[in-house]
Amino acid sequence: MALTALQVTRAKTGTHVDGKGLLLQVKPTGARNWLLRIQQSGRRRDFGLGSVDCVSLAEARAAAATLRANIKRGFEPIDREPRRAKTRAAKRAKTFEQAARDCYEALEAGWDDKRKRNWITSLENHIFPKIGKKPIDTIDSALVRDALAPIWLKIPDTARRILQRISAVLDFAHIKGWRDSETSLRTVSKGLPRQGDRSRHYDAMPYDQVPKLVQRLAENPTTVGRDALRLLIYTAVRSNEVRNATWGEFDLEAGIWSIPAERMKARVAHSVPLSGPALILLKHYWRSRRSDDGLVFSARGKTALSDMTLTKVLRSMNTGTSTVHGFRSSFTDWSSERTDVPKEVADKALAHVIPDRVEAAYRRTDFFDKRRKLMTLWTDFLHEKKP
């Protein structure tokens, strides 16, 4: 039975017969192509007539009729093998690096600046030197495994993210027609050592040692890095939230720092109550600001501090393995052991997301007044003031 236009659009994966050798092939990827199959001199021959996206059912039937008539009259159809070889050569002309950069340009519009920078930089540093010049249609699980092997245990989190990015590049290349089929990289990790516990634990300074560190930071010659680290400790925020803070986010009269959603990990705006020591530090920088909406802390007045800047400050104070992010844990431990403040208030101070969706839906308060008292208690503790 001949196909209808509706059947063409709804046909499932497989080969569907229209009649007189005209076939509709539907691939697992959803691609739909017309094919004319004829017997000539005892040999089966297949001729592609184009994609359903470009050739309608009526046009496919007309093309098939013309091709059959030409063959019957003795006209030999153009040999398709050279065209196939040419197509394969064109695919191989696109390297993995070229495909990755094309993929990056196509997707980057929906990303924030940090993700844009990290996405392409990670491939430039770790993958392009290994497989960047290889044809995109030759990349397989074995090549990806070998490229990731040197960093798989050394920087496991980054390695896993890079694996996801390589997979995205291969999917993009398939959609573009640079690869014949989709490629799953799920088996790559099977050929690499087990990474162990994937949870990230940041070494934290015991909370009773933090006041001494704050005192040493204040007594040392003033630097942008030391003061940024002090504000981070005072407010218990994340490193990037301090490093990328701009003056437009601060109301120094009201003592409030309003961090917009796009700069928060959970993409939810967060208001930070500023204690006395935090305000004193900020007002000092306000007097020497370069603009009313520029960065509070910057390298050479133009760019945000790097995360390594704060880490170097901490290392210079001989703090062992303590990390910058670990001060959030120090704050949490202090709050639970030295105060009677409910855990949900401390969690809100850290901008933690409530895992229970039902509870999150009903908890509308942000405990701002209670958090202001908590942050005052915290900085009083840091400056060793008696309650």
Side-chain angles (χ1 to χ4, degrees), residues 69-98:
N70 287 338
I71 292 173
K72 190 173 182 179
R73 289 197 298 267
F75 294 112
E76 181 66 17
I78 297 173
D79 188 2
R80 295 178 58 82
E81 186 56 32
R83 292 172 58 190
R84 292 193 184 100
K86 185 177 180 181
T87 300
R88 287 194 294 267
K91 289 177 181 177
R92 291 194 176 95
K94 181 73 71 170
T95 66
F96 176 83
E97 179 175 349
Q98 291 168 336

Side-chain angles (χ1 to χ4, degrees), residues 289-307:
R289 69 192 183 282
R290 293 173 180 266
S291 69
D292 288 355
D293 57 359
L295 291 164
V296 177
F297 305 105
S298 65
R300 298 178 296 280
K302 296 181 180 180
T303 58
L305 300 176
S306 70
D307 195 28

Side-chain angles (χ1 to χ4, degrees), residues 235 342 356:
T235 56
D356 188 315

Side-chain angles (χ1 to χ4, degrees), residues 31 41 59 62 83 99 175 197 205 238 272-273 275 318-319 322 352:
S41 302
E59 290 170 336
R83 292 172 58 190
I175 292 171
D197 185 8
M205 179 178 290
R238 298 178 179 87
V272 181
S275 61
N318 297 318
T319 56
S322 298
H352 283 166

